[in-house]
């Protein structure tokens, strides 16, 4: 009965009137969640569904969340940016208090969060899911002003639209240059999906144009699948330059759209810089980020190993073998919410198992995937041996078309589960 | 018991009831990233809530062995042993369809 009840509560949370939820009152504790992305919005909604007596406050400055998954399809004109936008009404309907402001300081000893609007929130448990920020200092020449000339489009929204407009305004025959940072960064296969979908669009609208992919690595996620697909779909259009062949970009010049590498320089007609990254700035302020710029956590409840009482989820955290993906962020948030409810009740959270599945599109009807199953092992989330891996190399039975459909279905399901 | 009550009243009672947190077995909460808990109008991925446990177990076993072709499920099923799969299947079977 209890399993049935929890599930019903999860399902009911979306349709419940807020008055009913707040009438439960406090009593079970206070949880503050910083950041309303795939991790934070899922955590907030799941916490309320599992324990309605909790007071859950989600701190998020933007009234509209613009999702990154499928934003590469916006670049290729396969979707509108409005299809990427989600509001927090479903989160509020679940009984979560949404504070539309940013967190400016965390005091881990006093257990308080200071907000930009001047308010201060006390917590019993804090969830931090601020996503990424760019490590501007790591790439000479690149800063916020430069991103107006050479967009990153690695936080979806105005940057995505800017890059799409630049591609559309480009002369046929113009060279598109992309730069990819070293690991770790948000969405390991994302740059290669982007290169694929830009090539897809170029082949139709700018057939004389090519794409140069400058990479700070010698290997990448789903590499053979991508390279086989490029040879099949876009022969000669994408040139990938790995680290060992001089792919690492050491500086950029936004005035001339020039990428300088260890081996030379490349002038772009359209330049897309995916900059080096770190956890969202508030993580550094709170003391949960280490010298790498990311946040170490234990693998059961994802509690910071640096500051007790603070759980870090999603892209900001070091999650062992799990990649920085929306699927992973959502999966971690559900595990963490159950663990927090257990901890607040004085119980021990159970050892979790988590799944990740990331789809990438090489064309509108051509999808590939990578999957993994993870569990705690020696203090880390670790791949379960023998599980996971990438799509079959030989596409039999329309597999690529099938995976493109699964990708689109996944996006609708995960955004519904995250935002209600 | 909820069935005889009005839906709104039923949810209020459920919310007020004692919490059995973390009662989903390990792994189950990840499944709903793709297998929706609510009716998603436009998804080709089947919902598994309320399906017979034995059927879910059969699918997982055949995907795992490769006897039945799959795109991603074979790779995922290999991450779970029989006991873990049984627990997840039983949990989903107990959820409302
Ligand atoms: C081009 C691209 C394609 C991608 N494709 C996929 C895909 O196909 N599948 C997949 O699974 N993943 C994909 N991803 C990765 C995915 O977008 C991220 O992994 C995911 O967004 C991480 O979720 P998060 O909640 O950790 O962070 P975010 O989604 O970035 O959310 C963080 C939130 O925190 C807020 N915030 C930050 N600082 C503060 C503060 N101080 N106070 C309050 N709020 C704050 C931000 O406003 C933001 O809303 C892609 C990413 C990119 C860039």
């Amino acid at each position: 009965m209890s399993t049935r009840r929890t599930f019903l509560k999860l399902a009911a949370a979306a349709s419940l009137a807020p008055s009913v939820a707040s009438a439960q009152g406090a009593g079970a504790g206070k949880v503050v969640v910083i950041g309303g992305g795939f991790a934070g919005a899922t955590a907030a909604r799941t916490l309320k569904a599992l324990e309605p007596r909790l007071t859950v406050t989600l701190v998020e400055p933007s009234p509209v969340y613009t999702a990154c998954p499928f934003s590469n399809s916006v670049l290729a004109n396969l979707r509108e940016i409005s299809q990427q936008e989600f509001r927090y009404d479903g989160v509020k309907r679940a009984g979560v208090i949404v504070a539309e402001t940013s967190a400016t300081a965390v005091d881990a000893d006093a257990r308080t969060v200071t907000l930009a609007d001047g308010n201060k929130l006390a917590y019993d448990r804090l969830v931090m899911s601020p996503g990424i920020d760019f490590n501007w200092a790591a790439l000479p020449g690149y800063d916020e002003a430069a991103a107006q000339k050479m967009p990153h489009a690695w936080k979806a929204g105005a940057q995505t639209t800017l890059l799409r407009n630049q591609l559309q305004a480009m002369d046929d025959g113009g060279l598109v240059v992309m730069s990819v940072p070293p690991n770790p960064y948000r969405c390991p296969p994302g740059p290669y999906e982007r290169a694929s979908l830009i090539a897809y669009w170029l082949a139709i609208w700018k057939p004389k144009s090519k794409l140069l992919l400058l990479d700070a690595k010698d290997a990448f996620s789903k590499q053979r699948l991508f390279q086989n697909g490029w040879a099949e779909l876009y022969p000669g259009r994408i040139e990938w330059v790995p680290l060992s062949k001089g792919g690492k970009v050491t500086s950029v010049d936004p005035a001339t759209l020039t990428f300088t590498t260890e081996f030379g320089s490349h002038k772009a007609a359209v330049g897309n810089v995916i900059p080096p990254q770190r956890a969202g700035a508030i993580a550094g302020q709170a003391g949960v980020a280490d010298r790498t710029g990311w946040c170490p956590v234990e693998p059961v409840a994802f509690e910071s190993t640096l500051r007790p009482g603070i759980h870090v989820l999603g892209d900001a955290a070091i999650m062992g073998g799990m990649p920085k993906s929306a699927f992973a962020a959502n999966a971690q948030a559900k595990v963490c919410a159950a663990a927090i409810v257990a901890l607040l009740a004085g119980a021990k959270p159970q050892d979790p198992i988590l799944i990740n599945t990331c789809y990438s599109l090489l064309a509108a009807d051509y999808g590939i995937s990578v999957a993994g199953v993870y569990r705690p092992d020696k203090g880390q989330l670790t791949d379960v041996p023998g599980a996971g891996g990438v799509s079959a190399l030989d596409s039999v039975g329309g597999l690529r078309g099938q995976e493109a459909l699964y990708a689109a279905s996944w996006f609708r399901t995960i955004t519904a589960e995250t935002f209600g | 018991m909820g069935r005889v009550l009005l839906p709104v009243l039923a949810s209020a009672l459920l919310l007020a009831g004692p919490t059995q947190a973390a009662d989903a077995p390990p792994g189950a909460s990840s499944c709903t990233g793709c297998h929706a808990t609510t009716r998603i109008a436009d998804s080709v991925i089947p919902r598994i809530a309320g399906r017979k446990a034995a059927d879910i177990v059969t699918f997982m076993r055949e995907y795992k062995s490769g006897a039945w072709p799959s795109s991603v499920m074979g790779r995922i099923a290999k991450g779970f042993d029989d006991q873990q799969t049984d627990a997840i299947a039983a949990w989903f079977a107990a959820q409302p369809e």
Side-chain angles (χ1 to χ4, degrees):
Chain A
M1 191 59 208
S2 64
T3 64
R4 191 177 177 89
R5 184 179 292 150
T6 305
F7 190 84
L8 276 172
K9 282 189 286 188
L10 278 162
S15 58
L16 194 78
S19 56
V20 178
S22 53
Q24 309 305 318
K30 295 190 198 73
V31 181
V32 174
V33 181
I34 298 177
F38 282 98
T42 304
R45 275 169 49 81
T46 309
L47 280 162
K48 264 321 257 191
L50 292 173
E51 177 46 282
R53 292 173 303 167
L54 283 177
T55 304
V56 180
T57 308
L58 175 65
V59 183
E60 166 61 54
S62 174
V64 179
Y65 177 80
T66 308
C68 288
F70 274 86
S71 66
N72 288 328
S73 296
V74 176
L75 297 176
N77 238 343
L78 293 165
R79 286 169 78 81
E80 290 305 321
I81 192 76
S82 59
Q83 292 175 273
Q84 300 298 112
E85 293 174 349
F86 299 88
R87 303 189 143 267
Y88 293 95
D89 305 287
V91 176
K92 290 176 195 160
R93 273 199 301 276
V96 173
I97 301 161
V98 178
E100 203 181 297
T101 180
S102 39
T104 53
V106 173
D107 185 332
D109 297 324
R111 301 209 168 201
T112 58
V113 178
T114 306
L115 307 181
D117 67 9
N119 283 317
K120 201 177 250 197
L121 300 172
Y123 65 81
D124 298 306
R125 292 266 159 189
L126 175 63
V127 174
M128 296 191 70
S129 42
I132 57 154
D133 266 322
F134 300 119
N135 189 358
W136 303 106
L139 184 58
Y142 202 64
D143 57 18
E144 257 170 281
Q148 295 306 312
K149 302 265 195 244
M150 305 168 95
H152 52 75
W154 218 243
K155 289 187 181 184
Q159 278 277 310
T160 314
T161 310
L162 178 63
L163 183 55
R164 170 157 92 169
N165 291 346
Q166 288 186 354
L167 287 166
Q168 292 186 352
M170 183 180 75
D171 287 336
D172 188 11
L175 178 69
V176 180
V177 182
M178 287 177 60
S179 72
V180 188
N183 288 323
Y185 59 89
R186 156 175 289 180
C187 196
Y192 312 96
E193 178 189 68
R194 174 171 294 177
S196 308
L197 290 178
I198 290 177
Y200 168 87
W201 183 84
L202 292 176
I204 301 168
W205 298 101
K206 315 275 174 183
K208 294 192 207 119
S209 286
K210 291 197 170 160
L211 187 146
L212 185 64
L213 189 52
L214 301 171
D215 203 332
K217 307 185 300 302
D218 276 324
F220 60 87
S221 173
K222 302 180 246 191
Q223 181 167 349
R224 284 187 64 197
L225 287 162
F226 273 114
Q227 290 181 320
N228 289 357
W230 294 343
E232 181 188 335
L233 302 170
Y234 317 116
R237 197 173 295 278
I238 298 174
E239 186 189 346
W240 176 61
V241 185
L243 172 70
S244 56
K245 301 246 165 67
K248 185 176 180 181
V249 173
T250 51
S251 70
V252 297
D253 178 10
T256 57
L257 304 186
T258 302
F259 294 74
T260 300
T261 69
E262 284 165 346
F263 288 30
S265 67
H266 307 273
K267 201 172 164 338
V270 171
N272 169 216
V273 176
I274 303 171
Q277 298 156 31
R278 56 180 171 74
I282 188 70
Q285 194 287 326
V288 292
D290 69 13
R291 273 191 295 174
T292 65
W294 305 99
C295 307
V297 295
E298 50 76 23
V300 174
F302 313 127
E303 188 166 352
S304 168
T305 55
L306 303 175
R307 292 281 185 279
I310 303 181
H311 303 255
V312 189
L313 303 176
D315 285 1
I318 301 170
M319 285 288 177
M322 262 192 134
K324 299 188 188 302
S325 75
F327 192 112
N330 166 274
Q332 291 155 11
K334 288 178 279 188
V335 165
C336 180
I340 285 178
V341 170
L343 287 165
L344 289 174
K348 189 175 168 292
Q350 67 175 345
D351 273 11
I353 303 176
L354 293 97
I355 303 170
N356 178 63
T357 305
C358 283
Y359 290 99
S360 300
L361 296 180
L362 279 76
D365 57 355
Y366 190 116
I368 58 175
S369 63
V370 60
V373 183
Y374 308 88
R375 55 151 210 252
D377 187 33
K378 301 188 188 76
Q380 291 266 357
L381 270 188
T382 308
D383 277 271
V384 174
V390 300
S391 309
L393 272 176
D394 41 320
S395 163
V396 286
L399 187 62
R400 305 284 187 251
Q402 197 183 17
E403 291 214 286
L405 278 180
Y406 286 152
S409 292
W410 164 77
F411 184 73
R412 287 188 287 269
T413 301
I414 201 127
T415 52
E417 190 178 58
T418 301
F419 298 102
Chain B
M1 58 136 199
R3 266 166 217 207
V4 297
L5 298 169
L6 290 170
V8 172
L9 185 54
S11 2
L13 285 180
L14 288 165
L15 285 167
T19 302
Q20 303 292 321
D23 53 7
S29 66
S30 283
C31 304
T32 60
C34 286
H35 298 279
T37 51
T38 53
R39 287 181 196 284
I40 303 293
D42 194 8
S43 174
V44 298
I45 303 169
R47 297 176 66 242
I48 50 178
R51 296 293 184 85
K52 267 167 56 189
D55 291 349
I56 299 174
V57 168
T58 302
F59 270 89
M60 289 288 277
R61 189 185 58 228
E62 302 299 323
Y63 283 153
K64 186 173 176 175
S65 74
W68 290 357
S70 68
S71 60
V72 75
M73 279 311 300
R75 292 176 261 157
I76 292 170
K78 288 192 184 104
F80 295 87
D81 64 23
D82 291 350
Q83 226 184 329
Q84 292 162 340
T85 303
D86 288 349
I88 292 171
W91 190 77
F92 274 105
Q95 310 312 321
E97 206 180 322

